Amino acid sequence: MNLEPLRELARDRLTGRTVIAITSGKGGVGKSTIASLMALIMSRYGRTTLIDLDIHGTSIPRAMGVQGRVHEVSKEGIEPIKVLENLGIISIRGIIGSRYVVLPGEREGSVMEALLAFTNYGDSRFVMIDMPPGMSDELLVLGRVTNFMPIIVTTPSKQSLCVVEDLIRYLIDTKQQPRYLIVNMSYIQHGASIIRPFGDVNMAYELGKRYGLSIIELPIDPSLENYIGSIINYRGELLSRLEQIVREIIEK
């Protein structure tokens, strides 16, 4: 199957937009939550499309509370599900509904490319992409169709950081230099005390220094669970910390 026309369409549609990929190489580190919150912040500055590129474990529709809705299709393409005036989301869940999907490996890339190519981005200034875990088709697909800004998410655990270092090296080798390493679930604030359930974050800071990344530590916020399904209403500490990154991207 010749995918080049699909890739060309994706390139054309993404040209001129700021494309940000929330990635890790490791599952369970909070990429979807961070992608959702950053897209909410981005939408204050301009129209934003948030794409859930994890075609097996879609989390964005659930976080946003739109998991029962399906995409409309117009002559311009797949229409994002509107969450806020300036924010729409795209997900395979909005196409297949409540059914699960099992795809052979050779089909994953073409599905991802189709989502990127057929989305109607309209006048979106920003495209935020929630990447799947791992280092596979998603990186190759995205790299073929756009120059993206990777933002890497990890926990402070050594296991996660070792996987993340491989991702950082790959991105640098492919000329997609990451700027930020978000150390998620880094600590719990308990009164005046800070508890670090994964241990210290020295390894993360060493990694940042080695590869020229800014480190953003995020706490564990137990209240966040109450906002799954209505994350647009969350106003906790994670949001204020992530605003720092968004402002820097906007002012770049």
Side-chain angles (χ1 to χ4, degrees):
M1 179 180 177
N2 183 11
L3 294 176
E4 191 53 42
L6 203 60
R7 292 169 187 165
E8 193 60 40
L9 179 59
R11 289 187 199 108
D12 288 346
R13 291 195 164 191
L14 290 169
T15 296
R17 310 181 198 276
T18 300
V19 181
I20 301 157
I22 306 301
T23 186
S24 174
K26 186 79 172 64
V29 298
K31 291 187 301 297
S32 296
T33 298
I34 288 168
S36 297
L37 293 175
M38 286 191 67
L40 288 168
I41 300 166
M42 283 280 184
S43 69
R44 302 174 193 167
Y45 297 90
R47 196 171 300 279
T48 302
T49 299
L50 170 59
I51 298 182
D52 189 347
L53 211 58
D54 188 348
I55 59 177
H56 295 294
T58 55
S59 299
I60 297 295
R62 186 174 296 109
M64 295 289 185
V66 297
Q67 65 269 34
R69 293 172 59 184
V70 296
H71 292 293
E72 294 181 2
V73 179
S74 70
K75 62 181 181 180
E76 285 81 21
I78 303 170
E79 298 294 336
I81 296 170
K82 197 170 185 178
V83 178
L84 294 172
E85 183 61 33
N86 263 4
L87 177 61
I89 68 168
I90 291 284
S91 172
I92 192 72
R93 186 61 60 192
I95 297 172
I96 65 172
S98 60
R99 298 184 300 276
Y100 61 81
V101 59
V102 178
L103 288 172
E106 67 271 14
R107 296 291 300 277
E108 292 181 10
S110 59
V111 171
M112 293 175 188
E113 288 186 341
L115 280 179
L116 294 170
F118 293 129
T119 291
N120 178 21
Y121 299 96
D123 60 352
S124 289
R125 178 182 174 188
F126 307 107
V127 178
M128 181 76 67
I129 298 179
D130 179 25
M131 300 285 275
M135 291 175 60
S136 186
D137 278 350
E138 63 279 356
L139 289 169
L140 300 175
V141 165
L142 200 57
R144 281 193 290 256
V145 299
T146 187
N147 292 318
F148 62 94
M149 178 189 297
I151 294 177
I152 299 176
V153 182
T154 184
T155 64
S157 75
K158 292 180 180 178
Q159 181 76 348
S160 181
L161 286 163
C162 286
V163 173
V164 158
E165 183 169 13
D166 286 340
L167 174 62
I168 293 169
R169 290 165 58 197
Y170 167 82
L171 290 167
I172 291 173
D173 286 346
T174 55
K175 313 303 181 187
Q176 302 283 0
Q177 170 71 50
R179 291 173 56 191
Y180 301 98
L181 178 63
I182 296 176
V183 186
N184 196 26
M185 297 180 275
S186 182
Y187 62 90
I188 302 171
Q189 187 81 41
H190 181 67
S193 301
I194 289 179
I195 301 168
R196 295 190 178 275
F198 292 101
D200 64 54
V201 290
N202 291 342
M203 185 175 174
Y205 278 94
E206 289 169 5
L207 205 60
K209 184 177 180 180
R210 189 178 310 139
Y211 295 104
L213 283 73
S214 297
I215 305 294
I216 307 291
E217 285 191 67
L218 297 182
I220 296 172
D221 183 352
S223 75
L224 185 63
E225 190 67 18
N226 299 327
Y227 292 92
I228 301 304
S230 59
I231 202 166
I232 62 172
N233 298 317
Y234 175 77
R235 297 294 182 271
E237 188 174 355
L238 298 184
L239 199 69
S240 59
R241 293 292 183 89
L242 291 171
E243 284 174 343
Q244 172 187 342
I245 298 177
V246 173
R247 283 195 301 269
E248 290 176 4
I249 293 171
I250 298 297
E251 292 168 2
K252 179 186 175 184

